[in-house]
Amino acid sequence: MIRALDLTKRFDDFTAVDHLTLTVEPGEILGFLGPNGAGKSTTVKMLTGMLQPTQGTAEIAGHDIIEYPMQVKQRIGYIPESGAMYESLTPAEYLDFVASLYHLDPALAESRFNDLLDVFGILHARDQRMTEMSKGMKQKVLISSALIHRPDVLFLDEPLNGLDANAAMVVKELLKKLAAQGKTIFFCSHILEVVERICTRIVIIDKGQTIISGTARSITEDTDSKSLEDAFSRITGIRDAGDLSNDFLAALERV
Amino acid sequence: MLDRLLARLDIDPRQFRALLRTSLRIDFRTGLFAGSRKKKSKRRFPGLWQILVFYGFLGLVISFLILESGDLFFSGTSMMTIVMFSVATSILVEFQSIVVAPEDYHILAHRPISSRTFFASRMANMLVYLGVITGAIGLAPSLVYVFRDGFQPHLGVAAMLGMLGAGVFTAMAIIFLYVNLLRVIHPKKLRRVFSYLQLVLSFVVYGSGMIFSSLFNAGLVTDVDIPQESWMLLLPPTWFSSVLSIFEGRGFWLEFASILLGAGATFTLLTYAYEKLSLEYAAMIARLDETTEDQKPARPSRTMSLPMFRRNEGRAAARLIRNQFKYDQKFRMSVLAIVPLTVLYLIAGLSGGGGLADPFVDPAEHVEKANLLYFAMAFFPVLLMASLVRSDAWQASWIFHATPSDKGKIVLAVKDVLVVFFILPYLLALGVVFLFYFESIRHVLLHVFILSMLSHLILQVIVMVNPYLPFSRPSRKGERTAGIFIGIIVAAVVMTVIINVLARLIYPSAYATGITLLVLALLTLVFERLAAERVRTKTRRLQFDQ
């Protein structure tokens, strides 16, 4: 499970995350939403032990992130939005490398990553350098690398980036099944339809603070909106999308 | 056994091996030792070969010094100084690929790797790099030490050990410097500072080369005999050259003190680096890298209003190259490398006294004095084109393929931009120097005009041979150094011939000069046509990214 208490991160004068408190139970898929710069990535970096909080603390799978970062890192899987990987390696080399970092038996690791690549339909490319691969293929390798050590807690930042419709469907189903197995899933995405469909609960943050939390339906009802997208737009206070698009068109038509 | 040793040091052996294996794979494929990724290329490690050839050549130069010099301490100290300079210049600029990279943080920071394991793997990776550099530089000098006075293999071993020690010390010193400067300077600004520092160092390196060659010519190297004195303990190269004296059996307290000082300093810096080279440090670099440095708003450019750069492909090429020169540090420093080369070649020419003679009055004297200067001049277009093709921002070149722009026109516009914004200012600066020495302003104008036409012709030829779109190919580490080295040799040969023919055969006759001007003008027109045709044919392939 994930339990964050009063989590705060300041960079000089700027407060990226401001006294954030949240809990995600095993078996839950939490949709973590917010406009650009709201503090989502900073929160994820603190929860994954990549960034030290300025204040507050968090527990992941029963371990304090500040006291026991190594134990936390053993139990989590993370898909960063940046998709950073050593791309001059082949998928087989990269997954073997990642498996080694988690002390997986090499034979077990190989059979596991072969299975994962096979499910994603890229087993034929396991020995091809990732520099020569499409964004979608690389994303499949990235997802495999986050799952290969069977983590208890998953942090996913835009995991469907670049995936084709079929692969995206596989991932969405996979997440539901992992949650059913009791895994804890922290899901960040800007694709609100996907969030609405697979997340059991949603937290929306802005300026580092929680604005609203609940199920997609409760958020929609509480904000008197037609959909989660509409609710998000109202809560985070952007201008009307129709007005904005008109301004864009006017700018393009200027002679 | 190694696993047990690593475990004792609190380093996870399996993670250490995985990290080291991966970083070496990256170095050989896309990093420091990588070369061309052309599918047809059968060469396995061309990047590594370039490093070996370049540093091996440096080693050969040192070997001559060792052969000439009878003093072991002098030759050893000179050798260590060159090794330390080479390692310093390399690490200064490539710090974020040799020592620690921001992407390490993004890929590794959420994995259960201890700082000690990460540090050990980075150190091991850096040792491989230092081993390759010192091995390439040190092979020939070590062999010379082994066979110079009978058969003395222990001296060869001492030379290698000393050079490796000097390399490690230098690397640690640079890390110390870098880490401390990072506390007060933004990384982007720091990279710029280091690039200028490299420019200054290149003055020192080229200058030292010239001093050494002068010493050779004067036979002074043979006579140098420097006794080691206690004040020399202040000079780090002497710490490592003392290894040679000890192995030769001449070790006294001063030599031992030198080695102890070197080992102590290296160990202290290693301890410091251990505290700093963690994933948290990579995180700091990554975070600082992500935040942008304060920039002053750019002023609108007047030169952009030149007719050829006012519209379409010409405007796009001019805008791109000028802004890359402003903001792309690698491109700017690559271009500015011509400055130390020119200044030092000019000084070399003038060092004999008498100034640069007027080529129209005293051709033989002019050729003798300005020969090196013309090497630099001929090398400049080669350098410009070589620097212009590769860039870290190469992936942005999709824009050329996704717009209906004429690739041929872009390639030709690039040539024009280089002539107007780089070649002409450079030649005008040379013209100012000529004004001091030539007897008439008319001679200066004519000479600069002919040199401009020659430079333009060189660019036309390069464009015909390799019509690449600007900043469209990925950077290759180490390639610049090797490219410059090859460029210097080719330019030197070509320009020696041209300048001799010009000054000795053509300038003495006004008639021949006039004919030459006409021929050059005609050649320019013909080459422009040929270049356009050839570029058009070749750039058809660029219609799709290949």
Side-chain angles (χ1 to χ4, degrees):
Chain A
M1 71 178 302
I2 303 168
R3 199 192 306 269
L5 185 67
D6 216 17
L7 210 56
T8 302
K9 184 68 194 178
R10 288 191 201 95
F11 298 103
D12 299 324
D13 298 335
F14 173 68
T15 304
V17 177
D18 195 1
H19 300 282
L20 189 81
T21 295
L22 59 82
T23 305
V24 193
E25 299 292 343
E28 255 196 308
I29 305 179
L30 180 85
F32 195 60
L33 310 180
N36 295 332
K40 298 189 299 296
S41 295
T42 309
T43 305
V44 171
K45 280 180 182 168
M46 284 192 285
L47 293 175
T48 51
M50 296 171 76
L51 204 58
Q52 181 112 8
T54 314
Q55 197 182 319
T57 187
E59 264 182 27
I60 308 289
H63 299 290
D64 188 287
I65 54 165
I66 300 166
E67 295 282 317
Y68 303 103
M70 285 299 158
Q71 282 84 341
V72 167
K73 290 174 183 185
Q74 280 288 0
R75 308 284 293 276
I76 63 166
Y78 173 44
I79 299 175
E81 188 191 8
S82 65
M85 285 191 290
Y86 295 124
E87 293 187 3
S88 50
L89 303 184
T90 67
E93 287 167 349
Y94 184 68
L95 293 171
D96 178 62
F97 162 68
V98 172
S100 300
L101 298 180
Y102 292 98
H103 292 206
L104 286 187
D105 173 68
L108 172 70
E110 181 162 7
S111 79
R112 208 178 271 176
F113 70 64
N114 278 341
D115 287 347
L116 287 168
L117 295 177
D118 196 21
V119 170
F120 277 128
I122 55 166
L123 186 60
H124 63 280
R126 53 160 272 163
D127 296 317
Q128 186 185 327
R129 283 196 210 170
M130 290 192 280
T131 40
E132 291 154 10
M133 288 184 173
S134 69
K135 194 176 176 188
M137 284 170 92
K138 285 187 237 178
Q139 189 69 10
K140 290 171 183 175
V141 178
L142 190 68
I143 294 171
S144 305
S145 75
L147 297 172
I148 195 166
H149 58 293
R150 299 208 301 208
D152 295 324
V153 181
L154 271 170
F155 291 90
L156 314 174
D157 201 347
E158 297 290 357
L160 307 182
N161 255 349
L163 292 184
D164 59 57
N166 291 332
M169 218 144 58
V170 171
V171 173
K172 283 184 271 181
E173 282 307 308
L174 178 71
L175 293 180
K176 283 184 192 167
K177 286 182 179 160
L178 286 171
Q181 283 179 4
K183 311 276 187 197
T184 310
I185 299 173
F186 196 92
F187 188 92
C188 302
S189 177
H190 291 294
I191 311 170
L192 299 184
E193 291 93 331
V194 175
V195 174
E196 198 165 7
R197 203 171 308 151
I198 68 165
C199 292
T200 49
R201 201 155 56 84
I202 292 165
V203 169
I204 300 179
I205 67 164
D206 195 13
K207 299 187 179 86
Q209 292 178 323
T210 305
I211 307 281
I212 196 166
S213 73
T215 61
R217 176 179 282 186
S218 74
I219 290 174
T220 312
E221 284 172 3
D222 289 352
T223 54
D224 201 17
S225 309
K226 285 177 244 158
S227 62
L228 182 63
E229 196 176 46
D230 189 27
F232 182 84
S233 154
R234 284 182 182 207
I235 296 165
T236 54
I238 62 154
R239 280 175 59 199
D240 182 72
D243 286 351
L244 274 176
S245 56
N246 284 338
D247 289 352
F248 265 114
L249 288 175
L252 291 174
E253 280 162 15
R254 213 162 285 146
V255 185
Chain B
M1 196 183 122
L2 179 68
D3 281 10
R4 247 180 287 158
L5 178 71
L6 289 171
R8 269 182 169 238
L9 294 169
D10 215 8
I11 295 162
D12 185 313
R14 202 151 163 221
Q15 291 185 336
F16 172 80
R17 277 198 303 273
L19 286 164
L20 181 60
R21 193 171 49 229
T22 299
S23 53
L24 288 176
R25 271 185 179 142
I26 293 166
D27 280 352
F28 277 102
R29 288 179 187 171
T30 53
L32 298 159
F33 306 132
S36 166
R37 291 288 316 277
K38 279 182 185 171
K39 284 178 186 164
K40 286 176 188 168
S41 173
K42 287 183 183 166
R43 293 176 302 169
R44 199 157 160 66
F45 299 132
L48 178 60
W49 283 116
Q50 283 173 358
I51 289 177
L52 292 178
V53 168
F54 175 70
Y55 288 110
F57 181 78
L58 213 56
L60 281 177
V61 174
I62 301 169
S63 303
F64 283 113
L65 172 77
I66 296 168
L67 277 172
E68 284 289 317
S69 168
D71 184 9
L72 189 70
F73 177 65
F74 170 70
S75 65
T77 305
S78 306
M79 181 170 74
M80 298 306 165
T81 309
I82 293 172
V83 168
M84 290 169 91
F85 258 127
S86 305
V87 171
T89 44
S90 175
I91 293 187
L92 271 174
V93 171
E94 309 282 6
F95 188 90
Q96 291 197 9
S97 52
I98 295 171
V99 185
V100 66
E103 62 260 29
D104 288 339
Y105 165 73
H106 294 297
I107 297 170
L108 302 174
H110 60 280
R111 314 223 185 254
I113 305 164
S114 71
S115 277
R116 188 167 282 203
T117 305
F118 177 74
F119 168 77
S121 74
R122 293 313 302 165
M123 279 299 108
N125 184 228
M126 198 167 75
L127 274 177
V128 171
Y129 179 66
L130 292 177
V132 169
I133 288 191
T134 50
I137 298 178
L139 182 66
S142 301
L143 287 174
V144 172
Y145 277 125
V146 171
F147 294 108
R148 193 178 62 166
D149 302 312
F151 182 63
Q152 295 179 301
H154 55 283
L155 279 187
V157 174
M160 274 298 191
L161 280 177
M163 279 189 279
L164 199 59
V168 173
F169 167 79
T170 310
M172 293 302 124
I174 298 289
I175 290 170
F176 179 83
L177 179 75
Y178 197 97
V179 169
N180 282 294
L181 285 175
L182 259 181
R183 288 182 180 163
V184 285
I185 305 176
H186 192 284
K188 282 177 185 161
K189 201 176 270 178
L190 187 59
R191 229 170 289 157
R192 195 161 57 226
V193 170
F194 274 168
S195 301
Y196 286 116
L197 187 62
Q198 197 198 20
L199 196 69
V200 173
L201 281 178
S202 56
F203 269 98
V204 178
V205 171
Y206 294 137
S208 311
M210 279 165 48
I211 291 167
F212 272 128
S213 54
S214 311
L215 288 174
F216 270 128
N217 293 339
L220 291 175
V221 171
T222 328
D223 306 328
V224 173
D225 186 11
I226 304 172
Q228 193 163 358
E229 292 174 18
S230 49
W231 67 267
M232 290 180 186
L233 287 172
L234 294 170
L235 306 173
T238 64
W239 303 342
F240 303 99
S241 62
S242 295
V243 180
L244 283 161
S245 308
I246 299 280
F247 269 64
E248 207 197 19
R250 284 200 291 135
F252 300 110
W253 71 268
L254 198 56
E255 281 80 2
F256 279 110
S258 285
I259 290 175
L260 277 178
L261 199 57
T266 309
F267 181 75
T268 309
L269 290 170
L270 259 169
T271 316
Y272 180 84
Y274 166 64
E275 285 168 14
K276 296 294 167 194
L277 284 192
S278 62
L279 277 165
E280 290 80 47
Y281 176 65
M284 189 182 91
I285 292 185
R287 266 201 310 282
L288 286 169
D289 233 15
E290 281 161 9
T291 56
T292 48
E293 188 192 339
D294 291 340
Q295 295 275 3
K296 286 175 192 163
R299 278 174 301 166
S301 159
R302 269 182 230 161
T303 33
M304 285 291 290
S305 59
L306 286 171
M308 63 225 277
F309 305 131
R310 217 176 274 166
R311 299 171 75 86
N312 306 333
E313 284 86 353
R315 183 179 178 81
R319 172 76 69 199
L320 178 65
I321 295 169
R322 283 174 56 83
N323 282 294
Q324 284 291 110
F325 185 72
K326 264 190 202 164
Y327 303 115
D328 181 341
Q329 195 61 16
K330 276 189 184 170
F331 176 53
R332 180 166 53 203
M333 298 321 295
S334 199
V335 172
L336 290 180
I338 199 66
V339 178
L341 204 67
T342 308
V343 171
L344 286 166
Y345 281 175
L346 187 63
I347 292 170
L350 296 173
S351 61
L356 295 175
D358 189 328
F360 294 87
V361 179
D362 191 347
E365 177 78 2
H366 179 80
V367 167
E368 194 191 318
K369 293 282 163 107
N371 216 2
L372 285 171
L373 191 63
Y374 293 119
F375 291 173
M377 195 219 84
F379 170 56
F380 193 35
V382 182
L383 176 76
L384 280 171
M385 287 306 277
S387 314
L388 189 97
V389 174
R390 295 196 182 274
S391 165
D392 288 340
W394 66 278
Q395 281 177 320
S397 63
W398 65 268
I399 194 79
F400 297 122
H401 305 284
T403 52
S405 59
D406 185 329
K407 277 46 154 207
K409 281 187 184 168
I410 289 177
V411 173
L412 291 173
V414 163
K415 172 190 65 81
D416 294 337
V417 172
L418 292 183
V419 170
V420 172
F421 293 116
F422 297 94
I423 301 270
L424 285 180
Y426 174 72
L427 290 173
L428 286 175
L430 281 187
V432 173
V433 176
F434 293 151
L435 271 178
F436 284 102
Y437 299 104
F438 289 11
E439 290 184 6
S440 103
I441 194 165
R442 195 169 50 87
H443 289 173
V444 173
L445 290 173
L446 187 58
H447 191 52
V448 168
F449 183 66
I450 289 177
L451 292 179
S452 309
M453 291 179 101
L454 283 170
S455 294
H456 185 236
L457 281 172
I458 295 173
L459 269 178
Q460 284 176 319
V461 171
I462 298 170
V463 163
M464 272 194 276
V465 176
N466 281 322
Y468 289 121
L469 291 167
F471 312 108
S472 60
R473 309 188 80 202
S475 303
R476 292 264 176 265
K477 280 150 197 152
E479 192 177 58
R480 216 192 95 203
T481 320
I484 286 173
F485 176 64
I486 293 162
I488 284 177
I489 292 173
V490 173
V493 174
V494 171
M495 213 54 207
T496 304
V497 175
I498 290 179
I499 213 67
N500 269 288
V501 171
L502 264 183
R504 290 174 199 271
L505 303 177
I506 294 169
Y507 282 174
S509 150
Y511 181 70
T513 307
I515 296 281
T516 303
L517 274 172
L518 276 176
V519 169
L520 283 176
L522 201 66
L523 272 177
T524 303
L525 286 174
V526 172
F527 273 36
E528 192 69 10
R529 286 221 155 190
L530 283 177
E533 192 49 46
R534 168 111 170 124
V535 165
R536 210 159 284 136
T537 316
K538 285 201 96 176
T539 50
R540 263 185 217 129
R541 285 193 290 125
L542 299 179
Q543 193 60 42
F544 300 100
D545 190 14
Q546 290 183 6

